[in-house]
Amino acid sequence: MADAKVIPFDDDRSRGAGQRPPRRRTTVSRRKGDGAKVREVTAVPAGRDGGAPVDETEPGTAGGASPEPSGRRPRRDGRARVEAARAESDRAVEQEAVARRVPEPRDGGGGGWDRRIAGGLAFLRRRLTGDYEVDEFGYDAELTDQVLMSLLRPIYDKYFRVEVKGIENVPSDGGALIVANHSGTLPWDGLMMQVAVHDHHPQQRHLRLLAADLVFMLPVVNELARKAGHTLACAEDAGALLERGELVGVMPEGFKGIGKPFGERYKLQRFGRGGFVSTALRTGSPIVPCSIVGAEEIYPMVGNAKTLARVLGIPYFPLTPTFPWLGPLGIVPLPTKWTIQFGEPIPTDGYPPEAAEDPMLMFNLTDQVREQIQHTLYKLLVQRRSVFF
């Protein structure tokens, strides 16, 4: 009898009547403070080692089985196993509840706002104490990143909905000269190009724009332009920035492009005398053509009050369908859909140093850049579905 086994309930049907084990009974287990509860045993679980099933009916209780034969391994108390399983389940539920009560921080959550507030206070402290740096041109990188770009970005993303193409053509390091068309009555195109390079380039490079003299004659605009990294459109400043490895942006059309009538939209004006090509040749910097579509329609210039412009000392006084008829509201640009495409760079490092003094070479390179920008403008206009969408 040392190897006696308890035959499972499922095997009763295949055995003879003489071999049937004693009929199962219900067991009654009591806890302290609880009344008697009747639990029906529905199946006999198998042993730990996958062997024969073991009857877990508690010996000594009403209806229990006879005591184990001598030499058999003591059986584990069934109620202790149930209690252990319940405790394990309770711990798992408690851990899940704690995890739900304390979620992991996410971007934009409370921790994000705390960091933003702390960063803003630190920025104000540096501004008040003068603990910030500017270069010899007046460029303030911290102010540009945290303030100026933050102000321009909603206009860029939500208002003009700028789409950028060919950003991979902008070099990741070293100096380069980005040459773009100029339009729109007010120079929104230069600012949007600056945001496009900063936000879409993998290295988040800063574009240093070359601006006309008028920009640095206006009281407030002068200071903001310097802080944003803009400098005077001259060969000396452009060459110094390129030699330092900066990205420099130039719009050779100047006032002829930004102040042209609406009927001549997307028709490039003359690119000056090719001074930007000479600067690129001297420094060996590549020239990246850039085409901007969408700026021509923000202020449709239907007229020019030349007399008033001469009195005010400005190149032109635009007359649009909204300005000056609606007063200050006429300054609000129309929400056109923009596209900025950067073309393949034109290398200049293969030319000898004296090439910068060759007028024929400068004319050919200037014409090449202009034709590439004009061709891309026509292609983008054909692909555009609507001015506003």
Side-chain angles (χ1 to χ4, degrees), residues 230-266:
H230 306 169
T231 188
L232 190 63
C234 63
E236 291 77 12
D237 288 358
L241 291 173
L242 289 173
E243 289 176 354
R244 289 169 45 181
E246 299 281 356
L247 277 181
V248 179
V250 62
M251 296 175 168
E253 293 179 279
F255 291 119
K256 299 186 302 294
I258 195 173
K260 63 179 178 288
F262 186 69
E264 299 180 9
R265 59 191 179 278
Y266 298 114

Side-chain angles (χ1 to χ4, degrees), residues 316-365:
Y316 56 90
F317 189 89
L319 302 176
T320 71
T322 58
F323 182 82
W325 329 114
L326 298 182
L329 290 177
I331 305 178
V332 178
L334 297 178
T336 58
K337 177 71 170 62
W338 286 41
T339 302
I340 300 178
Q341 179 165 338
F342 299 93
E344 295 183 2
I346 300 173
T348 62
D349 54 354
Y351 295 95
E354 60 271 13
E357 307 298 333
D358 186 352
M360 186 58 66
L361 177 61
M362 287 193 298
F363 175 80
N364 291 336
L365 286 177

Side-chain angles (χ1 to χ4, degrees), residues 35-101:
K37 296 183 181 180
V38 178
R39 179 172 57 89
E40 182 179 358
V41 179
T42 56
V44 178
R48 285 185 182 179
D49 55 356
V54 179
D55 189 359
E56 292 184 359
T57 305
E58 183 178 356
T61 57
S66 58
E68 297 182 16
S70 58
R72 186 177 180 181
R73 185 178 60 185
R75 294 170 298 184
R76 184 178 178 183
D77 183 69
R79 185 171 60 185
R81 296 179 61 184
V82 172
E83 293 297 333
R86 287 180 180 175
E88 185 68 23
S89 177
D90 291 343
R91 283 195 296 270
V93 172
E94 183 178 358
Q95 291 176 359
E96 182 179 359
V98 172
R100 291 180 178 179
R101 289 195 301 267

Side-chain angles (χ1 to χ4, degrees), residues 41-379:
V41 179
T42 56
V44 178
R48 285 185 182 179
D49 55 356
V54 179
D55 189 359
E56 292 184 359
T57 305
E58 183 178 356
T61 57
S66 58
E68 297 182 16
S70 58
R72 186 177 180 181
R73 185 178 60 185
R75 294 170 298 184
R76 184 178 178 183
D77 183 69
R79 185 171 60 185
R81 296 179 61 184
V82 172
E83 293 297 333
R86 287 180 180 175
E88 185 68 23
S89 177
D90 291 343
R91 283 195 296 270
V93 172
E94 183 178 358
Q95 291 176 359
E96 182 179 359
V98 172
R100 291 180 178 179
R101 289 195 301 267
V102 187
E104 295 183 357
R106 298 178 180 178
D107 294 339
W113 280 109
D114 292 343
R115 288 192 297 269
R116 290 182 181 181
I117 294 174
L121 293 177
F123 172 77
L124 291 177
R125 179 182 58 79
R126 289 191 295 271
R127 292 286 120 183
L128 295 176
T129 59
D131 186 17
Y132 59 92
E133 296 180 358
V134 296
D135 63 8
E136 61 269 26
F137 297 97
Y139 172 53
D140 190 336
E142 184 183 37
L143 182 68
T144 300
D145 286 341
Q146 299 195 18
V147 178
L148 300 181
M149 286 293 174
S150 299
L151 294 176
L152 292 173
R153 195 165 287 119
I155 303 174
Y156 175 92
D157 289 330
K158 306 299 182 182
Y159 198 77
F160 292 138
R161 294 148 292 146
V162 181
E163 179 183 359
V164 178
K165 299 180 179 181
I167 192 64
E168 66 276 2
N169 292 321
V170 179
S172 298
D173 53 11
L177 187 64
I178 299 180
V179 183
N181 59 304
H182 205 13
S183 61
T185 307
L186 291 181
W188 284 103
D189 50 359
L191 299 176
M192 295 299 103
M193 184 170 63
Q194 187 176 9
V195 178
V197 173
H198 181 271
D199 287 2
H200 291 270
H201 196 277
Q203 305 299 325
Q204 294 186 338
R205 301 197 66 180
H206 291 280
L207 181 63
R208 310 291 293 271
L209 290 173
L210 303 180
D213 301 351
L214 178 62
V215 174
F216 302 101
M217 294 171 58
L218 303 175
V220 179
V221 177
N222 171 29
E223 187 68 18
L224 290 177
R226 290 290 185 185
K227 294 291 186 181
H230 306 169
T231 188
L232 190 63
C234 63
E236 291 77 12
D237 288 358
L241 291 173
L242 289 173
E243 289 176 354
R244 289 169 45 181
E246 299 281 356
L247 277 181
V248 179
V250 62
M251 296 175 168
E253 293 179 279
F255 291 119
K256 299 186 302 294
I258 195 173
K260 63 179 178 288
F262 186 69
E264 299 180 9
R265 59 191 179 278
Y266 298 114
K267 295 179 181 179
L268 294 182
Q269 305 299 304
R270 190 172 65 91
F271 270 21
R273 293 171 293 182
F276 69 92
V277 173
S278 176
T279 304
L281 288 172
R282 285 192 176 94
T283 58
S285 304
I287 300 174
V288 181
C290 178
S291 304
I292 303 174
V293 169
E296 293 275 17
E297 296 87 3
I298 60 174
Y299 299 111
M301 186 172 170
V302 297
N304 181 15
K306 296 181 180 179
T307 303
L308 187 56
R310 284 194 298 269
V311 172
L312 297 176
I314 56 179
Y316 56 90
F317 189 89
L319 302 176
T320 71
T322 58
F323 182 82
W325 329 114
L326 298 182
L329 290 177
I331 305 178
V332 178
L334 297 178
T336 58
K337 177 71 170 62
W338 286 41
T339 302
I340 300 178
Q341 179 165 338
F342 299 93
E344 295 183 2
I346 300 173
T348 62
D349 54 354
Y351 295 95
E354 60 271 13
E357 307 298 333
D358 186 352
M360 186 58 66
L361 177 61
M362 287 193 298
F363 175 80
N364 291 336
L365 286 177
T366 302
D367 190 63
Q368 179 183 354
V369 175
R370 184 180 181 277
E371 288 299 324
Q372 187 169 341
I373 296 174
Q374 184 69 80
H375 178 72
T376 305
L377 287 175
Y378 288 150
K379 184 175 64 176

Side-chain angles (χ1 to χ4, degrees), residues 3-15:
D3 295 332
K5 298 183 180 179
V6 178
I7 300 175
F9 179 75
D10 294 339
D11 293 343
D12 290 348
R13 299 174 184 175
S14 60
R15 304 282 184 177

